[in-house]
Amino acid sequence: MSSSAASFAAALQAARTAVGAQDYPHGALYLVATPIGNLGDVTLRALHVLQLADRVACEDTRHTQQLLRAYSIDRPGDRMLALHQHNEAQAAQQVVAWLQAGERVAYASDAGTPAVSDPGARLVAAVQGAGLRVVPLPGASSVTTVLSAAGSVEEGGFVFVGFLPAKAGERETAVQALAGEPRAVVLLEAPHRIEALAKALALLGARRVTVGRELTKQFEQVATLACAELPGWLAADPQRTRGEFALVLHGEPQAAGSDDGERVLRLLLPELPMKTAVKLAAEITGGSRNALYELALRLKHAE
């Protein structure tokens, strides 16, 4: 047993103790979130299900075998199935057949939560289409990790876009469309395309972007800066273009005209509590709730 695997022996026992008594139905697909870099981010349920499952389908069998061995989980090669973007439709039918035979099948992508940006969505659709159960196991995700570090998700929520088009013209068109998006936007990018993405995002000028590089890994880096500064930030250090990237384009709520906001608030405030009036005014005008709240306070004080 390697030193890495030995260090997780206690975690395996903890998994059996903590979640082993729960119900794990046969004939179900288990979507297993795996770490995006730090092995310690695996969950107890993930460890238990990876041991319990009759079969493990995964994006890359070699990668997942290394991961399992790191956790001291022994999985014979004939009990694993490669299921990736190039064979997902065909491999999904094999998984459905195993489930119909009453087997438990776990699916793991190379890192993070399956079926979000990684393969798995077509597998889930095929399993559900066959009337079989899908059991999601929450865990590591680059999307929620970078959002939590950006501090930009307010009342409007966020939009997950993932990878923009690889072709320059299509990518710039996509960025121009994002310029009008008032909510935070999550983007993903590979190291060989990060400079091209930075160049496209620079067109958004002063709009803020949080860059998460090598999240959860030894050389993790998180920085927030103006989009116009992103190409220069990358160029300042060759290390900054290495690794996987998750980015948050900060939201820019569209400001309502002061006349519109004041007019709507003057109609609503006499009839409704202030918070409710502000919420409705924001929905009606598309304005910033914080700005409308400050305006409501001024109107109240002026009475």
Side-chain angles (χ1 to χ4, degrees):
M1 181 183 296
S2 68
S3 59
S4 173
S7 66
F8 282 98
L12 289 174
Q13 182 56 49
R16 296 186 191 100
T17 302
V19 301
Q22 296 175 9
D23 182 36
Y24 297 92
H26 291 271
L29 172 68
Y30 294 83
L31 295 178
V32 182
T34 55
I36 59 176
N38 192 314
L39 288 175
D41 290 337
V42 71
T43 69
L44 295 180
R45 285 182 72 202
L47 289 175
H48 186 71
V49 166
L50 289 171
Q51 294 178 92
L52 181 69
D54 299 293
R55 313 264 184 178
V56 174
C58 52
E59 187 175 0
D60 185 324
T61 55
R62 292 168 300 179
H63 176 90
T64 301
Q65 275 283 24
Q66 291 177 352
L67 182 69
L68 295 176
R69 287 169 184 154
Y71 295 128
S72 194
I73 297 174
D74 183 24
R75 178 63 59 176
D78 62 358
R79 287 282 166 171
M80 298 187 70
L81 172 72
L83 188 151
H84 44 73
Q85 62 177 336
H86 303 296
N87 76 339
E88 187 169 356
Q90 179 181 359
Q93 295 309 309
Q94 176 62 76
V95 171
V96 168
W98 287 333
L99 297 178
Q100 289 173 334
E103 295 188 354
R104 301 183 184 99
V105 179
Y107 180 72
S109 56
D110 283 351
T113 302
V116 178
S117 179
D118 294 339
R122 283 182 287 178
L123 170 62
V124 170
V127 171
Q128 291 178 336
L132 298 163
R133 184 172 176 182
V134 176
V135 181
L137 275 62
S141 167
S142 61
V143 176
T144 51
T145 300
V146 73
L147 279 169
S148 67
S152 64
V153 181
E154 299 182 0
E155 293 162 342
F158 70 93
V159 178
F160 174 69
V161 172
F163 292 91
L164 293 184
K167 294 183 179 179
E170 294 176 0
R171 182 171 52 244
E172 290 180 4
T173 299
V175 169
Q176 290 172 2
L178 294 178
E181 173 56 64
R183 295 167 292 181
V185 178
V186 180
L187 303 171
L188 303 178
E189 194 51 273
H192 65 280
R193 288 210 305 258
I194 187 61
E195 291 174 297
L197 176 63
K199 181 179 178 182
L201 290 177
L203 299 174
L204 300 182
R207 188 162 178 177
R208 307 290 282 173
V209 62
T210 293
V211 183
R213 185 182 75 86
E214 291 289 83
L215 291 171
T216 79
K217 301 177 185 177
Q218 181 179 359
F219 300 107
E220 175 183 87
Q221 195 167 19
V222 178
T224 298
L225 60 160
C227 286
E229 299 170 357
L230 185 54
W233 182 84
L234 289 172
D237 183 349
Q239 296 295 327
R240 291 177 179 171
T241 59
R242 297 179 180 177
E244 299 298 321
F245 292 82
L247 306 91
V248 177
L249 184 63
H250 289 218
E252 280 194 340
Q254 298 171 346
S258 58
D259 291 343
D260 288 343
E262 183 171 346
R263 178 177 59 81
V264 173
L265 282 173
R266 286 187 181 279
L267 291 172
L268 296 177
L269 284 171
E271 309 296 333
L272 299 168
M274 186 164 63
K275 284 187 177 181
T276 304
V278 168
K279 178 181 178 181
L280 289 174
E283 292 176 356
I284 292 168
T285 65
S288 163
R289 193 176 298 192
N290 289 338
L292 289 168
Y293 187 79
E294 292 176 3
L295 177 58
L297 287 174
R298 291 197 298 272
L299 293 174
K300 282 286 189 180
H301 291 156
E303 292 178 355

